[in-house]
Amino acid sequence: MSALWSVGAGLLLLLLWVRHRGLEAVLVHHRWVFVCFFLMPLSILFDIYYQLRAWAVRRLHSAPRQHAQRVRHIQEQVREWKKEGSKRYMCTGRPGWLTVSLRVGKYKKTHKNIMINLMDVLEVDSERQVVRVEPLVSMGQLTAYLNPMGWTLPVVPELDDLTVGGLIMGTGIESSSHIYGLFQHTCVAYELVLADGSLVRCSPTENSDLFYAVPWSCGTLGFLVAAEIKMIPAKKYVKIHYKPVRGLQKICEKFTEESRKKENSFVEGLMYSLDEAVIMTGVLTDEAEPTKINRIGNYYKPWFFKHVEKYLKADRTGVEYIPSRHYYHRHTRSIFWELQDIIPFGNNPVFRYLFGWMVPPKISLLKLTQGEAIRKLYEQHHVVQDMLVPMKSLEKSIQTFHVDLNVYPIWLCPFILPNNPGMVHPKGNETELYVDIGAYGEPKSKQFEARASMRQMEKFVRSVHGFQMLYADCYMTREEFWDMFDGSLYHKLREQMNCKDAFPEVYDKICKAARH
């Protein structure tokens, strides 16, 4: 009873303090208070609900039976939109705050919202090595489903809450992408409801133009209702090698060298300054040295990027065996390194042992509760950007990131980009090795100004025939956007499938110059 009184008294004091300081002041200057006491517990309740739902669906085998009915409901909504005169563009009815993107989708308020309640695994075909899923299935949900069956995906993009639909309509990448390409390149078929309400399946051999145009289209060609994704056999561990490297030229040479080795199952780099990095390579294995097993995903463990930094500070190489699922979601608990700006003491051992089991707070809840003041603060003094550039331009790109942003750590992730049709492909006629440069945090560059600095970055990326991930703030003009991306197939299909009255153009949906 005394403990209960203590908790009650503590909450009362907290509420009085919030009232004294003002809610907005607390949310802006002491956001960790709100996150720790409200959002983290609420995130746990969200997870419990979705886990119980997934368990029930799996036990009852209800997903495949209900899928066709749910798709028919989507078709009925589209046909109803046509009967109403097609007066507004359509979009999914999923609230904007539920997406992992930090961008606020204001178009949801003015467009016709089509409710799409598709969040289940439909079928695992071991013979074809393909899993068929609905678009709102998350990476955390899918790896938890497949791993006990002995399967995994070739490319498992990092954060647990990333959905299949978002990774197809946008894009996704992981440290295995130097072998398998982007997430879209591991997909073998899509099923979509089009602007006329029809249901269409597309693959490299069936409606192939649509298959190659869907990735990066951000839901502006149709509503994704199912996807078929390749599977590969899972193994218990990832044997990971940590190698500190100093000097920008040596970092780029070593990273490029390791990225070209197909014997590496995984390649990743973390840069902690312009001339300091740790290059990590990993291979899948079922055998492990017991003394070198590191279950990095356990709630009380150090955040992964901080753990990696120890090898740099000690100037030593190292080898560990990380359980595969822990490796796939190694950056989830700290949201890469974004959480350190929200909870500065989050990696403290005391916090990890007492409260680490509630980390991370849901990105969707952070968005929902950020308020206008925090949104503007983040927009002007914070960057979350992934730029995809040819590997041959890596050194020049890092120097540009340093001058224009000066944000560290920087994430380096190599990927192979095949010369397929669609919005994103190499400039030449052959497959080319690219690298994702991820910058997340507060820029330290003295001349940083959000719009001007990002436009400078976008100009550089276009000059080396690179691409900007579309989940982030984009400041390009329409002409600049279509200079970066190949819109030939996309525009042809929008004309053929009568999309112009049904969906906004992708530029109008995601670029700040169009939305403001």
Side-chain angles (χ1 to χ4, degrees):
M1 183 62 74
S2 59
L4 198 60
W5 277 108
S6 298
V7 172
L11 286 174
L12 180 60
L13 289 172
L14 176 64
L15 290 172
L16 290 172
W17 178 70
V18 169
R19 183 179 179 184
H20 171 70
R21 292 298 305 272
L23 182 58
E24 184 170 315
V26 170
L27 290 179
V28 173
H29 302 293
H30 306 280
R31 200 179 184 198
W32 64 267
V33 175
F34 186 71
V35 170
C36 291
F37 286 96
F38 295 100
L39 294 193
M40 282 166 42
L42 193 57
S43 297
I44 291 293
L45 294 177
F46 262 61
D47 283 337
I48 291 172
Y49 166 75
Y50 283 112
Q51 287 171 10
L52 287 175
R53 184 193 178 282
W55 176 84
V57 166
R58 188 171 184 179
R59 294 285 293 180
L60 298 172
H61 302 287
S62 62
R65 294 197 304 271
Q66 294 182 2
H67 175 73
Q69 178 183 340
R70 289 170 177 163
V71 171
R72 282 194 296 272
H73 178 58
I74 294 167
Q75 292 176 283
E76 289 168 3
Q77 293 178 77
V78 173
R79 288 167 184 149
E80 182 65 29
W81 165 82
K82 287 180 68 69
K83 286 180 184 178
E84 293 171 353
S86 311
K87 296 176 182 177
R88 296 181 291 164
Y89 288 137
M90 292 184 288
C91 67
T92 63
R94 190 185 188 206
W97 60 269
L98 273 175
T99 63
V100 173
S101 167
L102 296 180
R103 186 173 58 245
V104 179
K106 295 181 179 179
Y107 60 87
K108 297 276 186 181
K109 296 178 181 178
T110 57
H111 293 185
K112 171 72 172 179
N113 281 215
I114 304 298
M115 301 310 298
I116 298 180
N117 184 30
L118 300 172
M119 55 181 72
D120 297 315
V121 179
L122 298 173
E123 179 187 4
V124 175
D125 188 335
S126 299
E127 189 172 326
R128 290 175 59 218
Q129 295 193 17
V130 166
V131 58
R132 182 168 173 255
V133 301
E134 293 178 330
L136 294 181
V137 169
S138 70
M139 287 297 99
Q141 176 187 352
L142 192 49
T143 55
Y145 190 99
L146 292 178
N147 287 173
M149 302 169 66
W151 296 104
T152 189
L153 300 181
V155 174
V156 183
E158 260 302 330
L159 304 179
D160 283 18
D161 291 341
L162 292 170
T163 63
V164 168
L167 295 167
I168 291 170
M169 291 297 185
T171 194
I173 193 170
E174 183 44 91
S175 52
S176 56
S177 289
H178 67 296
I179 299 174
Y180 299 105
L182 299 171
F183 187 82
Q184 70 202 55
H185 301 128
T186 67
C187 297
V188 297
Y190 309 127
E191 296 169 39
L192 297 101
V193 172
L194 303 182
D196 61 358
S198 62
L199 177 64
V200 171
R201 184 180 186 273
C202 58
S203 71
T205 56
E206 179 184 6
N207 297 309
S208 59
D209 278 357
L210 181 58
F211 177 79
Y212 289 116
V214 163
W216 295 76
S217 66
C218 298
T220 58
L221 294 174
F223 295 110
L224 184 69
V225 295
E228 295 176 25
I229 311 166
K230 295 175 187 175
M231 302 185 301
I232 59 173
K235 294 190 176 182
K236 293 180 181 178
Y237 301 99
V238 174
K239 182 181 181 182
I240 186 167
H241 292 255
Y242 302 92
K243 182 173 178 56
V245 185
R246 286 180 165 80
L248 181 57
Q249 184 177 349
K250 289 183 179 179
I251 290 169
C252 295
E253 288 173 354
K254 182 63 176 175
F255 186 76
T256 303
E257 176 190 339
E258 297 296 345
S259 299
R260 296 190 186 281
K261 293 180 181 177
K262 299 302 182 186
E263 60 265 32
N264 288 328
S265 305
F266 306 97
V267 179
E268 175 183 23
L270 291 184
M271 294 195 65
Y272 292 90
S273 72
L274 181 61
D275 58 0
E276 292 181 311
V278 178
I279 308 299
M280 289 159 280
T281 59
V283 292
L284 288 163
T285 178
D286 283 321
E287 306 298 328
E289 300 175 50
T291 58
K292 293 184 178 180
I293 294 175
N294 184 0
R295 303 185 187 281
I296 195 69
N298 288 347
Y299 70 87
Y300 51 83
K301 287 285 190 173
W303 290 346
F304 184 71
F305 78 97
K306 287 294 188 183
H307 172 68
V308 174
E309 191 176 18
K310 292 178 182 177
Y311 291 94
L312 182 66
K313 289 181 175 178
D315 196 24
R316 64 180 178 87
T317 60
V319 175
E320 288 184 327
Y321 295 83
I322 299 178
S324 294
R325 192 156 184 268
H326 288 224
Y327 177 82
Y328 288 136
H329 303 286
R330 63 199 177 280
H331 291 298
T332 291
R333 289 189 301 123
S334 57
I335 317 178
F336 280 86
W337 30 93
E338 286 280 71
L339 198 57
Q340 67 180 351
D341 291 336
I342 299 171
I343 308 176
F345 47 83
N347 194 49
N348 183 284
V350 176
F351 180 87
R352 293 200 314 264
Y353 275 89
L354 292 178
F355 304 107
W357 56 278
M358 290 194 288
V359 168
K362 291 285 185 187
I363 296 175
S364 54
L365 295 179
L366 290 171
K367 282 177 63 178
L368 179 64
T369 59
Q370 69 181 359
E372 190 65 18
I374 294 178
R375 188 189 67 78
K376 288 182 178 178
L377 192 69
Y378 264 62
E379 190 173 288
Q380 294 301 319
H381 304 287
H382 198 90
V383 295
V384 180
Q385 292 282 349
D386 283 87
M387 299 294 188
L388 315 181
V389 299
M391 186 67 80
K392 62 190 177 188
S393 302
L394 176 58
E395 184 172 348
K396 185 165 57 172
S397 300
I398 292 173
Q399 289 170 337
T400 301
F401 267 69
H402 180 76
V403 171
D404 290 344
L405 302 180
N406 193 9
V407 172
Y408 293 97
I410 283 178
W411 191 52
L412 302 179
C413 184
F415 69 100
I416 201 76
L417 186 61
N419 187 33
N420 292 337
M423 286 176 60
V424 172
H425 55 75
K427 190 172 184 178
N429 296 321
E430 297 181 357
T431 295
E432 187 172 349
L433 187 62
Y434 270 62
V435 56
D436 175 7
I437 304 177
Y440 325 117
E442 182 181 350
K444 300 298 191 295
S445 175
K446 292 181 180 179
Q447 67 264 33
F448 178 80
E449 192 279 320
R451 186 179 184 278
S453 298
M454 287 316 306
R455 280 190 53 75
Q456 186 70 20
M457 288 290 303
E458 291 164 349
K459 181 180 180 181
F460 168 79
V461 172
R462 291 196 304 276
S463 74
V464 297
H465 198 72
F467 308 94
Q468 180 181 24
M469 281 199 185
L470 300 183
Y471 75 86
D473 284 335
C474 171
Y475 293 85
M476 289 182 280
T477 65
R478 193 180 304 273
E479 292 71 26
E480 291 166 344
F481 182 85
W482 290 117
D483 180 44
M484 177 179 286
F485 296 97
D486 182 353
S488 54
L489 180 61
Y490 171 79
H491 290 302
K492 183 182 88 170
L493 284 178
R494 276 180 60 83
E495 191 75 43
Q496 287 179 358
M497 300 190 307
N498 299 316
C499 292
K500 290 188 174 181
D501 293 328
F503 308 104
E505 185 182 299
V506 61
Y507 174 81
D508 295 311
K509 194 170 183 179
I510 62 98
C511 283
K512 294 183 78 67
R515 291 183 289 118
H516 296 286

mmCIF file of all heavy atoms in Angstrom, residues 72-94:
data_model
loop_
_atom_site.group_PDB
_atom_site.id
_atom_site.type_symbol
_atom_site.label_atom_id
_atom_site.label_comp_id
_atom_site.label_asym_id
_atom_site.label_seq_id
_atom_site.Cartn_x
_atom_site.Cartn_y
_atom_site.Cartn_z
ATOM 1 N N ARG A 72 -12.866 -7.132 -51.522
ATOM 2 C CA ARG A 72 -14.132 -6.743 -52.150
ATOM 3 C C ARG A 72 -14.673 -5.450 -51.533
ATOM 4 O O ARG A 72 -15.232 -4.593 -52.222
ATOM 5 C CB ARG A 72 -15.163 -7.866 -52.021
ATOM 6 C CG ARG A 72 -14.949 -9.010 -53.006
ATOM 7 C CD ARG A 72 -16.165 -9.900 -53.079
ATOM 8 N NE ARG A 72 -16.436 -10.571 -51.816
ATOM 9 C CZ ARG A 72 -15.918 -11.749 -51.448
ATOM 10 N NH1 ARG A 72 -15.082 -12.377 -52.277
ATOM 11 N NH2 ARG A 72 -16.214 -12.294 -50.294
ATOM 12 N N HIS A 73 -14.474 -5.310 -50.213
ATOM 13 C CA HIS A 73 -14.924 -4.082 -49.545
ATOM 14 C C HIS A 73 -14.160 -2.867 -50.072
ATOM 15 O O HIS A 73 -14.736 -1.777 -50.252
ATOM 16 C CB HIS A 73 -14.738 -4.213 -48.034
ATOM 17 C CG HIS A 73 -15.133 -2.999 -47.259
ATOM 18 N ND1 HIS A 73 -16.392 -2.451 -47.316
ATOM 19 C CD2 HIS A 73 -14.408 -2.190 -46.421
ATOM 20 C CE1 HIS A 73 -16.457 -1.381 -46.544
ATOM 21 N NE2 HIS A 73 -15.258 -1.190 -46.006
ATOM 22 N N ILE A 74 -12.874 -3.029 -50.330
ATOM 23 C CA ILE A 74 -12.071 -1.946 -50.903
ATOM 24 C C ILE A 74 -12.574 -1.611 -52.305
ATOM 25 O O ILE A 74 -12.737 -0.432 -52.667
ATOM 26 C CB ILE A 74 -10.580 -2.339 -50.927
ATOM 27 C CG1 ILE A 74 -10.045 -2.486 -49.502
ATOM 28 C CG2 ILE A 74 -9.756 -1.301 -51.707
ATOM 29 C CD1 ILE A 74 -8.698 -3.167 -49.409
ATOM 30 N N GLN A 75 -12.856 -2.637 -53.105
ATOM 31 C CA GLN A 75 -13.378 -2.414 -54.452
ATOM 32 C C GLN A 75 -14.716 -1.672 -54.404
ATOM 33 O O GLN A 75 -14.972 -0.780 -55.220
ATOM 34 C CB GLN A 75 -13.548 -3.755 -55.178
ATOM 35 C CG GLN A 75 -12.228 -4.448 -55.496
ATOM 36 C CD GLN A 75 -12.435 -5.807 -56.133
ATOM 37 O OE1 GLN A 75 -12.761 -6.786 -55.464
ATOM 38 N NE2 GLN A 75 -12.278 -5.859 -57.458
ATOM 39 N N GLU A 76 -15.565 -2.036 -53.452
ATOM 40 C CA GLU A 76 -16.864 -1.370 -53.313
ATOM 41 C C GLU A 76 -16.692 0.106 -52.980
ATOM 42 O O GLU A 76 -17.423 0.961 -53.493
ATOM 43 C CB GLU A 76 -17.686 -2.057 -52.219
ATOM 44 C CG GLU A 76 -18.189 -3.442 -52.608
ATOM 45 C CD GLU A 76 -18.734 -4.203 -51.405
ATOM 46 O OE1 GLU A 76 -18.774 -3.628 -50.294
ATOM 47 O OE2 GLU A 76 -19.096 -5.395 -51.570
ATOM 48 N N GLN A 77 -15.700 0.425 -52.125
ATOM 49 C CA GLN A 77 -15.454 1.826 -51.776
ATOM 50 C C GLN A 77 -14.990 2.621 -52.991
ATOM 51 O O GLN A 77 -15.400 3.775 -53.189
ATOM 52 C CB GLN A 77 -14.394 1.911 -50.674
ATOM 53 C CG GLN A 77 -14.841 1.356 -49.330
ATOM 54 C CD GLN A 77 -13.704 1.443 -48.318
ATOM 55 O OE1 GLN A 77 -13.396 2.502 -47.784
ATOM 56 N NE2 GLN A 77 -13.067 0.316 -48.058
ATOM 57 N N VAL A 78 -14.140 2.011 -53.824
ATOM 58 C CA VAL A 78 -13.657 2.692 -55.032
ATOM 59 C C VAL A 78 -14.804 2.919 -56.008
ATOM 60 O O VAL A 78 -14.935 4.003 -56.612
ATOM 61 C CB VAL A 78 -12.523 1.875 -55.690
ATOM 62 C CG1 VAL A 78 -12.129 2.487 -57.037
ATOM 63 C CG2 VAL A 78 -11.310 1.806 -54.767
ATOM 64 N N ARG A 79 -15.657 1.910 -56.165
ATOM 65 C CA ARG A 79 -16.801 2.062 -57.082
ATOM 66 C C ARG A 79 -17.785 3.102 -56.567
ATOM 67 O O ARG A 79 -18.397 3.836 -57.362
ATOM 68 C CB ARG A 79 -17.478 0.704 -57.286
ATOM 69 C CG ARG A 79 -16.632 -0.248 -58.145
ATOM 70 C CD ARG A 79 -17.122 -1.658 -58.102
ATOM 71 N NE ARG A 79 -16.220 -2.545 -58.862
ATOM 72 C CZ ARG A 79 -16.001 -3.818 -58.572
ATOM 73 N NH1 ARG A 79 -16.631 -4.380 -57.533
ATOM 74 N NH2 ARG A 79 -15.182 -4.536 -59.308
ATOM 75 N N GLU A 80 -17.942 3.184 -55.261
ATOM 76 C CA GLU A 80 -18.797 4.198 -54.677
ATOM 77 C C GLU A 80 -18.227 5.587 -54.955
ATOM 78 O O GLU A 80 -18.974 6.536 -55.242
ATOM 79 C CB GLU A 80 -18.907 3.965 -53.166
ATOM 80 C CG GLU A 80 -19.827 4.930 -52.436
ATOM 81 C CD GLU A 80 -21.274 4.784 -52.864
ATOM 82 O OE1 GLU A 80 -21.680 3.659 -53.270
ATOM 83 O OE2 GLU A 80 -22.006 5.794 -52.785
ATOM 84 N N TRP A 81 -16.898 5.721 -54.888
ATOM 85 C CA TRP A 81 -16.233 6.989 -55.220
ATOM 86 C C TRP A 81 -16.537 7.387 -56.659
ATOM 87 O O TRP A 81 -16.793 8.565 -56.960
ATOM 88 C CB TRP A 81 -14.730 6.840 -54.987
ATOM 89 C CG TRP A 81 -13.882 7.901 -55.602
ATOM 90 C CD1 TRP A 81 -13.613 9.142 -55.106
ATOM 91 C CD2 TRP A 81 -13.172 7.817 -56.855
ATOM 92 N NE1 TRP A 81 -12.790 9.829 -55.954
ATOM 93 C CE2 TRP A 81 -12.496 9.040 -57.033
ATOM 94 C CE3 TRP A 81 -13.035 6.823 -57.828
ATOM 95 C CZ2 TRP A 81 -11.706 9.293 -58.141
ATOM 96 C CZ3 TRP A 81 -12.252 7.082 -58.944
ATOM 97 C CH2 TRP A 81 -11.601 8.304 -59.093
ATOM 98 N N LYS A 82 -16.544 6.401 -57.562
ATOM 99 C CA LYS A 82 -16.849 6.699 -58.972
ATOM 100 C C LYS A 82 -18.299 7.142 -59.129
ATOM 101 O O LYS A 82 -18.600 8.075 -59.885
ATOM 102 C CB LYS A 82 -16.587 5.459 -59.842
ATOM 103 C CG LYS A 82 -15.104 5.150 -60.051
ATOM 104 C CD LYS A 82 -14.890 3.928 -60.911
ATOM 105 C CE LYS A 82 -15.327 4.146 -62.341
ATOM 106 N NZ LYS A 82 -14.457 5.101 -63.056
ATOM 107 N N LYS A 83 -19.201 6.488 -58.383
ATOM 108 C CA LYS A 83 -20.622 6.872 -58.467
ATOM 109 C C LYS A 83 -20.847 8.289 -57.965
ATOM 110 O O LYS A 83 -21.725 8.998 -58.443
ATOM 111 C CB LYS A 83 -21.469 5.894 -57.637
ATOM 112 C CG LYS A 83 -21.643 4.518 -58.267
ATOM 113 C CD LYS A 83 -22.504 3.639 -57.367
ATOM 114 C CE LYS A 83 -22.619 2.224 -57.935
ATOM 115 N NZ LYS A 83 -23.413 1.333 -57.031
ATOM 116 N N GLU A 84 -20.023 8.698 -57.000
ATOM 117 C CA GLU A 84 -20.147 10.050 -56.434
ATOM 118 C C GLU A 84 -19.596 11.116 -57.372
ATOM 119 O O GLU A 84 -19.661 12.309 -57.071
ATOM 120 C CB GLU A 84 -19.427 10.122 -55.087
ATOM 121 C CG GLU A 84 -20.083 9.276 -53.993
ATOM 122 C CD GLU A 84 -19.225 9.198 -52.742
ATOM 123 O OE1 GLU A 84 -18.067 9.688 -52.775
ATOM 124 O OE2 GLU A 84 -19.691 8.612 -51.737
ATOM 125 N N GLY A 85 -19.013 10.685 -58.491
ATOM 126 C CA GLY A 85 -18.530 11.635 -59.487
ATOM 127 C C GLY A 85 -17.033 11.848 -59.508
ATOM 128 O O GLY A 85 -16.545 12.744 -60.199
ATOM 129 N N SER A 86 -16.293 11.047 -58.757
ATOM 130 C CA SER A 86 -14.824 11.136 -58.756
ATOM 131 C C SER A 86 -14.355 12.565 -58.499
ATOM 132 O O SER A 86 -13.456 13.080 -59.174
ATOM 133 C CB SER A 86 -14.255 10.635 -60.089
ATOM 134 O OG SER A 86 -14.805 9.388 -60.445
ATOM 135 N N LYS A 87 -14.982 13.205 -57.517
ATOM 136 C CA LYS A 87 -14.719 14.626 -57.283
ATOM 137 C C LYS A 87 -13.410 14.896 -56.550
ATOM 138 O O LYS A 87 -12.837 15.979 -56.667
ATOM 139 C CB LYS A 87 -15.877 15.232 -56.496
ATOM 140 C CG LYS A 87 -17.204 15.213 -57.253
ATOM 141 C CD LYS A 87 -18.332 15.729 -56.390
ATOM 142 C CE LYS A 87 -19.668 15.652 -57.139
ATOM 143 N NZ LYS A 87 -20.794 16.089 -56.271
ATOM 144 N N ARG A 88 -12.958 13.928 -55.768
ATOM 145 C CA ARG A 88 -11.730 14.109 -54.984
ATOM 146 C C ARG A 88 -10.756 12.975 -55.280
ATOM 147 O O ARG A 88 -11.155 11.888 -55.683
ATOM 148 C CB ARG A 88 -12.043 14.111 -53.485
ATOM 149 C CG ARG A 88 -12.918 15.254 -53.015
ATOM 150 C CD ARG A 88 -13.125 15.161 -51.504
ATOM 151 N NE ARG A 88 -13.959 14.025 -51.125
ATOM 152 C CZ ARG A 88 -14.060 13.523 -49.897
ATOM 153 N NH1 ARG A 88 -13.334 14.053 -48.922
ATOM 154 N NH2 ARG A 88 -14.854 12.508 -49.637
ATOM 155 N N TYR A 89 -9.483 13.245 -55.060
ATOM 156 C CA TYR A 89 -8.505 12.167 -55.133
ATOM 157 C C TYR A 89 -8.775 11.154 -54.018
ATOM 158 O O TYR A 89 -9.353 11.489 -52.975
ATOM 159 C CB TYR A 89 -7.081 12.701 -54.941
ATOM 160 C CG TYR A 89 -6.538 13.486 -56.108
ATOM 161 C CD1 TYR A 89 -5.825 14.667 -55.888
ATOM 162 C CD2 TYR A 89 -6.701 13.047 -57.412
ATOM 163 C CE1 TYR A 89 -5.299 15.396 -56.946
ATOM 164 C CE2 TYR A 89 -6.182 13.773 -58.479
ATOM 165 C CZ TYR A 89 -5.489 14.940 -58.238
ATOM 166 O OH TYR A 89 -4.978 15.653 -59.289
ATOM 167 N N MET A 90 -8.329 9.935 -54.245
ATOM 168 C CA MET A 90 -8.424 8.891 -53.220
ATOM 169 C C MET A 90 -7.074 8.691 -52.544
ATOM 170 O O MET A 90 -6.019 8.938 -53.131
ATOM 171 C CB MET A 90 -8.863 7.567 -53.842
ATOM 172 C CG MET A 90 -10.286 7.532 -54.356
ATOM 173 S SD MET A 90 -10.738 5.876 -54.968
ATOM 174 C CE MET A 90 -9.768 5.813 -56.493
ATOM 175 N N CYS A 91 -7.124 8.218 -51.305
ATOM 176 C CA CYS A 91 -5.924 7.803 -50.580
ATOM 177 C C CYS A 91 -6.343 6.760 -49.547
ATOM 178 O O CYS A 91 -7.537 6.568 -49.292
ATOM 179 C CB CYS A 91 -5.241 8.989 -49.896
ATOM 180 S SG CYS A 91 -6.193 9.712 -48.545
ATOM 181 N N THR A 92 -5.395 6.070 -48.963
ATOM 182 C CA THR A 92 -5.731 5.093 -47.934
ATOM 183 C C THR A 92 -6.264 5.828 -46.701
ATOM 184 O O THR A 92 -5.858 6.952 -46.406
ATOM 185 C CB THR A 92 -4.509 4.253 -47.521
ATOM 186 O OG1 THR A 92 -3.523 5.102 -46.938
ATOM 187 C CG2 THR A 92 -3.922 3.539 -48.729
ATOM 188 N N GLY A 93 -7.160 5.164 -45.982
ATOM 189 C CA GLY A 93 -7.760 5.781 -44.804
ATOM 190 C C GLY A 93 -6.931 5.642 -43.551
ATOM 191 O O GLY A 93 -7.352 6.077 -42.474
ATOM 192 N N ARG A 94 -5.743 5.063 -43.664
ATOM 193 C CA ARG A 94 -4.876 4.925 -42.501
ATOM 194 C C ARG A 94 -4.431 6.303 -42.023
ATOM 195 O O ARG A 94 -3.903 7.089 -42.817
ATOM 196 C CB ARG A 94 -3.657 4.077 -42.856
ATOM 197 C CG ARG A 94 -2.802 3.664 -41.666
ATOM 198 C CD ARG A 94 -1.570 2.935 -42.144
ATOM 199 N NE ARG A 94 -0.826 2.360 -41.032
ATOM 200 C CZ ARG A 94 0.478 2.120 -41.055
ATOM 201 N NH1 ARG A 94 1.180 2.408 -42.140
ATOM 202 N NH2 ARG A 94 1.090 1.587 -40.025
#
